[in-house]
Amino acid sequence: MTTSRRTVITAGAAAGLAAAAAGATPADANSGGRAVREHFGTLKDGTRVDRWTIENGRTRLKVLSYGGIVQTLEIPDRHGHRANVSLGFADLDSYVAHSPYFGALIGRYGNRIARGTFTLNGHKYRLPVNDGPNSLHGGDKGFDKHVWSVKPFHKGADVGLTLRRVSPDGEMGYPGTLTVRVDYTLTAAGDFRIDYEATTDKPTVVNLTNHTYFNLAGEGTGTVYDHRLRIAASRYTPVDKTLIPTGELAKVAGTPFDFRRAKEIGRDIREAHPQVLYAQGYDHNFVLDKGVTHRPENIVTVTEPGSGRVMKIATTEPGVQFYSGNFLTGTFAGTSGHVYRQSDGFCLETQHFPDSPNHPDFPSTVLRPGQTYRSSTVHSFSTR
Ligand code: BGC
């Protein structure tokens, strides 16, 4: 990994750009944070991959142009000590070789589509099958494996990155040219907000999300079993053995899936419930009680007792995939050099429900020409 010229853009633009031109690293801007670009690596085909660092409040975020990957997310503990709470790798080659979607932007369709087929306007579409009999996370070369164009922005006291890419008609079997924009914003309070937008020139299906694995005690520190999780969902979508929803919206009451009151992630994860056995832990879509909303509404609180770190998630989406890192099997080491094992991180992927194109009674994921797909998710950080 080489670090070449760094581009620095600060909210107090003039001072920051002058410092950058002089080859210096400027001090933090008085308000609005800053954005720094560096060379992260080069793909086999010669494409350059950048890493952007943005910082605001007490939060620092590192994002790769490859896959829009959140490489590190640093937030303070109750004593003000910052740690990286996001699983990942230190180098590009590891992301390309074996990343289980660490930190990545997922598209065109987050989670699974059964047998890689769906019918839209009477036409049957076939997608590459990359997870047993099903298509997972947009196929074998999803949005997570493309290089995005990245531009920093400032809006008031917020600092952010705008990521763009155009997914051609027929890419990974999906119809329509999809023009996608994703904004990663750090607010002055240090909250991390993601806004997705997409338009199409033919009817298609879209379900975008981000696949960050969190460990609020710090990346590489062991399991997340003692994190306390609350999810505002009275129902979830049970799955078959291949993790495709059966179509039922089952009550969480009386099952390991009841997170309506905060409980430890590890408390019921070894219960011999058939759904827990299918997924080797939690890997399920929770049906959020609030449904689809125009503005992000609170759905999740996660608390890590040791560090005191608290993460709240608000979203416009009707579902969230709670995945307890079941398929981390000790086969590689992460950013800080520690080997990741089962449940060393968890994902909370805000989304429409898996396999919606084959379930007409689920909230629709169809996007038509003239419409704009919009989705927003906010991660807020505090301590207790
Ligand atoms: C899925 C898991 C999958 C993981 C990929 C999650 O979103 O629900 O089944 O294994 O992504 O690492």
Side-chain angles (χ1 to χ4, degrees):
M1 187 176 70
T2 48
T3 301
S4 64
R5 206 165 65 84
R6 288 151 63 97
T7 306
V8 184
I9 295 142
T10 65
L17 290 171
T25 305
D28 284 356
N30 294 336
S31 65
R34 62 177 189 158
V36 178
R37 185 180 72 161
E38 60 195 318
H39 181 242
F40 185 65
T42 306
L43 294 173
K44 279 208 174 67
D45 67 1
T47 310
R48 170 195 162 108
V49 172
D50 288 329
R51 176 170 69 177
W52 285 87
T53 302
I54 57 174
E55 194 163 348
N56 212 352
R58 303 300 317 276
T59 305
R60 185 189 293 146
L61 178 67
K62 291 184 193 272
V63 173
L64 309 183
S65 55
Y66 177 75
I69 288 171
V70 170
Q71 187 207 13
T72 62
L73 172 66
E74 292 170 71
I75 55 169
D77 67 7
R78 65 164 72 87
H79 305 296
H81 301 308
R82 268 204 299 216
N84 170 29
V85 296
S86 158
L87 273 54
F89 296 113
D91 63 282
L92 181 62
D93 290 352
S94 300
Y95 280 104
V96 174
H98 46 225
S99 180
Y101 304 95
F102 282 149
L105 284 179
I106 304 294
R108 219 177 263 206
Y109 198 95
N111 213 278
R112 292 175 177 78
I113 295 187
R115 306 195 170 277
T117 68
F118 67 94
T119 302
L120 184 58
N121 287 353
H123 188 284
K124 188 168 181 177
Y125 293 96
R126 291 189 185 283
L127 317 168
V129 154
N130 60 340
D131 185 74
N134 305 316
S135 185
L136 175 67
H137 293 332
D140 36 52
K141 191 167 181 190
F143 289 7
D144 58 294
K145 294 178 184 67
H146 286 272
V147 173
W148 293 63
S149 90
V150 183
K151 282 211 168 66
F153 68 84
H154 289 91
K155 208 167 134 193
D158 295 348
V159 61
L161 301 171
T162 295
L163 294 91
R164 293 178 197 270
R165 92 169 280 266
V166 177
S167 166
D169 184 12
E171 187 180 51
M172 289 288 110
Y174 289 93
T177 311
L178 193 76
T179 304
V180 187
R181 170 189 174 146
V182 181
D183 283 355
Y184 284 161
T185 305
L186 290 185
T187 68
D191 294 345
F192 173 34
R193 176 176 177 122
I194 310 178
D195 296 284
Y196 307 83
E197 223 178 77
T199 52
T200 184
D201 61 0
K202 281 186 192 161
T204 190
V205 295
V206 190
N207 191 26
L208 306 180
T209 192
N210 175 277
H211 208 294
T212 296
Y213 290 63
F214 296 95
N215 184 326
L216 297 183
E219 171 276 333
T221 60
T223 77
V224 295
Y225 286 157
D226 62 354
H227 286 52
R228 291 176 65 80
L229 171 65
R230 187 188 69 88
I231 308 178
S234 311
R235 292 172 302 167
Y236 74 109
T237 49
V239 289
D240 67 15
K241 283 188 183 139
T242 72
L243 305 185
I244 291 293
T246 60
E248 190 196 349
L249 305 185
K251 291 198 164 102
V252 298
T255 76
F257 297 88
D258 194 350
F259 285 92
R260 289 173 299 171
R261 294 175 62 177
K263 71 173 176 186
E264 286 83 21
I265 288 176
R267 197 175 88 181
D268 298 329
I269 205 168
R270 288 167 200 267
E271 249 193 46
H273 188 285
Q275 288 293 317
V276 175
L277 287 164
Y278 283 167
Q280 300 180 30
Y282 295 103
D283 191 356
H284 293 80
N285 171 65
F286 285 70
V287 178
L288 299 170
D289 292 338
K290 70 167 189 75
V292 179
T293 44
H294 283 292
R295 292 182 185 284
E297 289 188 13
N298 283 318
I299 54 147
V300 156
T301 304
V302 197
T303 308
E304 199 283 304
S307 65
R309 292 191 182 93
V310 179
M311 175 172 72
K312 290 189 186 210
I313 300 179
T315 189
T316 54
E317 288 296 310
V320 66
Q321 185 82 10
F322 169 42
Y323 170 55
S324 52
N326 314 324
F327 306 119
L328 298 175
T329 53
T331 52
F332 49 72
T335 323
S336 62
H338 295 97
V339 171
Y340 293 146
R341 298 177 63 85
Q342 213 176 26
S343 293
D344 278 1
F346 63 88
C347 300
L348 288 160
E349 302 150 65
T350 53
Q351 61 184 8
H352 271 54
F353 306 169
D355 200 30
S356 294
N358 293 308
H359 291 273
D361 46 336
F362 286 177
S364 174
T365 52
V366 175
L367 182 71
R368 298 182 190 282
Q371 299 177 327
T372 302
Y373 167 94
R374 283 199 181 87
S375 171
S376 298
T377 294
V378 184
H379 306 78
S380 331
F381 304 107
S382 57
T383 55
R384 66 169 61 144

